[in-house]
Amino acid sequence: MNYKINKLNDGHSFKVKSPSNIALIKYWGKYGEQLPSNPSLSITLDNAHTLTTYKISKSDKFELNFKFESMSNEKFQARVEKFFNRAVEFFPFINECRIEMDSMNSFPHSSGIASSAASMSNFASALCEIEKVVTEEDHDEEYYQKKASFMARLGSGSASRSLFPKMSIWGKSVQGSSQEYAIGLDSYDKSFEGICDSIAIVSASEKAVSSSAGHALMNTHPFAKTRFLNACNNFNSLCFALSRGDFKSFAEIVEAEALELHGLMMNSKPSFILMEPNTLAIIAKIRDFRGQTGAKICFTLDAGPNVHILYLKEDEAKVRQFIEEEVRGLCHNNVVIHDHMGNGIEVEYLSRDS
Ligand code: PMV
């Protein structure tokens, strides 16, 4: 890469807002350098995001000053440093940058919302913003989106999907997606536009199994082959249901994926049961409510006990009432976080000297 570091004068500063995402087709199992064993599909969220302010200046070596909520945090600083050190291969100008960062998450710690997806996509996008300033080459937005998604993937696989508005897919598929980076998915029926995700917080405890330990369980899992095949079939069926506006099939596939993820964990060695009694109670209530009212509602789960309640915009009022009456009381401290489909990464320049 040809670049001119002198273009990076003192005071080059910008903000990146990057959302988390919730997978409908789950990425669970990987090989090589964070390459997925099956394609995955997610909804980009909006309210659940990371907001980071960057101040970049020229230096004779890589220097990082990371703050979380305006305070030093050694554990986070080490993680962020690791990410930037990994990124030098693709963004060589890092070795001549001083990067000051102040980062915050809009959602509570341990809410089970994927903070690594929001944060890694944030850092990767920031690197592309710096590259746009220092590069001598002329690239279009698509190049930067691919590069940011690729870099985010190396930080955390699911982060590759957080860059794009609305919905995103990652992993080789008939949709033309790649193993290396995610792309946006916009071929869905307009009834899914703005789909809502209310997250019922059943427990706010730390994750019982980290993502990397979880993915590793799939290396020796007795059902791995069947799972990867099922995931591909589910992926294709879900794309079809999305394109036709077929909510019934959508709900069937999305719920099956969530339960399959947890089934795999239950059958792993060692075995993990991440659902709690109230996870099952909320699932039963969602299915009853759907049966009684015909509302377009279903659930998905991440690798934890919290329930993501998905519903179409057209049913928002009645589902919100259902959540207040039937679900909130089953949640830890009565917490439900309301979110919906969002627009992906946003960058705002605070000062640009070059
Ligand atoms: O991106 P990772 O390594 O944290 O893995 C994410 C795994 C799941 O959240 C369970 C599923 C997914 O596709 O987001």
Side-chain angles (χ1 to χ4, degrees):
M1 183 199 303
N2 294 320
Y3 67 92
K4 272 220 170 104
I5 203 70
N6 286 337
K7 286 189 180 175
L8 216 54
N9 295 331
D10 271 359
H12 189 86
S13 174
F14 57 88
K15 265 187 197 174
V16 179
K17 184 179 154 195
S18 54
S20 186
N21 69 76
I22 179 69
L24 305 181
I25 303 294
K26 310 292 182 183
Y27 150 57
W28 199 241
K30 61 178 176 181
Y31 63 93
E33 200 169 10
Q34 214 94 277
L35 293 166
S37 300
N38 62 263
S40 57
L41 186 157
S42 59
I43 298 174
T44 302
L45 296 177
D46 186 25
N47 296 334
H49 60 255
T50 295
L51 187 65
T52 310
T53 305
Y54 294 83
K55 194 171 172 209
I56 317 292
S57 45
K58 199 178 126 199
S59 172
D60 50 9
K61 61 175 192 307
F62 170 46
E63 289 177 89
L64 178 71
N65 182 338
F66 179 82
K67 291 207 162 79
F68 187 69
E69 294 177 344
S70 302
M71 293 204 295
S72 300
N73 182 319
E74 276 178 29
K75 196 172 123 196
F76 287 178
Q77 160 108 15
R79 257 189 233 165
V80 180
E81 224 158 59
K82 190 173 161 210
F83 176 85
F84 283 106
N85 283 324
R86 178 68 191 88
V88 170
E89 185 183 343
F90 310 102
F91 300 90
F93 55 80
I94 291 174
N95 276 331
E96 293 180 75
C97 280
R98 174 176 166 76
I99 305 179
E100 287 172 63
M101 299 165 64
D102 192 351
S103 199
M104 53 140 329
N105 290 336
S106 64
F107 46 91
H109 185 59
S110 299
S111 59
I113 295 175
S115 60
S116 59
S119 57
M120 298 298 167
S121 58
N122 199 298
F123 310 155
S125 300
L127 284 173
C128 284
E129 284 309 310
I130 307 171
E131 183 176 320
K132 282 179 200 170
V133 176
V134 300
T135 188
E136 294 284 276
E137 288 150 34
D138 200 18
H139 295 298
D140 58 11
E141 263 315 301
E142 199 187 326
Y143 165 90
Y144 286 112
Q145 267 197 337
K146 277 185 187 167
K147 188 161 180 181
S149 177
F150 165 85
M151 193 58 237
R153 177 201 112 216
L154 294 181
S156 164
S158 58
S160 65
R161 299 186 311 242
S162 265
L163 281 298
F164 305 90
K166 324 277 174 143
M167 291 195 196
S168 174
I169 53 179
W170 169 45
K172 198 169 182 305
S173 75
V174 290
Q175 299 286 332
S177 46
S178 158
Q179 291 289 86
E180 302 279 335
Y181 51 83
I183 56 172
L185 177 76
D186 45 24
S187 52
Y188 58 84
D189 182 80
K190 65 179 184 328
S191 57
F192 289 102
E193 195 60 63
I195 188 169
C196 304
D197 177 12
S198 292
I199 309 158
I201 306 298
V202 170
S203 161
S205 332
E206 285 285 340
K207 273 186 172 183
V209 57
S210 71
S211 289
S212 25
H215 290 293
L217 294 171
M218 290 308 287
N219 295 337
T220 53
H221 201 289
F223 302 148
K225 232 173 142 184
T226 311
R227 160 61 192 160
F228 302 141
L229 206 67
N230 264 355
C232 289
N233 291 336
N234 285 343
F235 179 94
N236 292 337
S237 306
L238 187 65
C239 288
F240 191 53
L242 282 168
S243 70
R244 284 187 324 167
D246 175 356
F247 189 84
K248 191 168 174 285
S249 304
F250 172 91
E252 263 169 34
I253 302 160
V254 167
E255 294 189 357
E257 271 291 308
L259 297 175
E260 197 160 303
L261 172 71
H262 282 256
L264 289 164
M265 286 188 272
M266 288 193 242
N267 279 300
S268 296
K269 270 195 191 133
S271 146
F272 293 94
I273 302 180
L274 301 186
M275 288 190 277
E276 293 197 3
N278 280 353
T279 310
L280 295 174
I282 293 170
I283 289 175
K285 291 219 177 255
I286 292 169
R287 287 184 165 176
D288 275 357
F289 177 71
R290 182 170 65 215
Q292 281 162 22
T293 63
K296 306 251 173 43
I297 181 174
C298 66
F299 69 86
T300 188
L301 304 165
D302 211 343
N306 303 329
V307 184
H308 288 250
I309 307 173
L310 300 170
Y311 48 98
L312 296 191
K313 202 87 192 101
E314 64 190 57
D315 284 334
E316 188 170 7
K318 63 178 169 201
V319 173
R320 285 292 189 99
Q321 190 186 346
F322 157 73
I323 291 173
E324 290 311 313
E325 290 170 4
E326 307 272 345
V327 177
R328 196 177 280 283
L330 294 168
C331 295
H332 174 76
N333 290 340
N334 295 322
V335 177
V336 178
I337 299 174
H338 296 297
D339 210 337
H340 52 260
M341 184 186 259
N343 286 326
I345 296 279
E346 286 171 35
V347 179
E348 184 195 340
Y349 268 84
L350 303 170
S351 73
R352 194 199 304 248
D353 286 355
S354 39

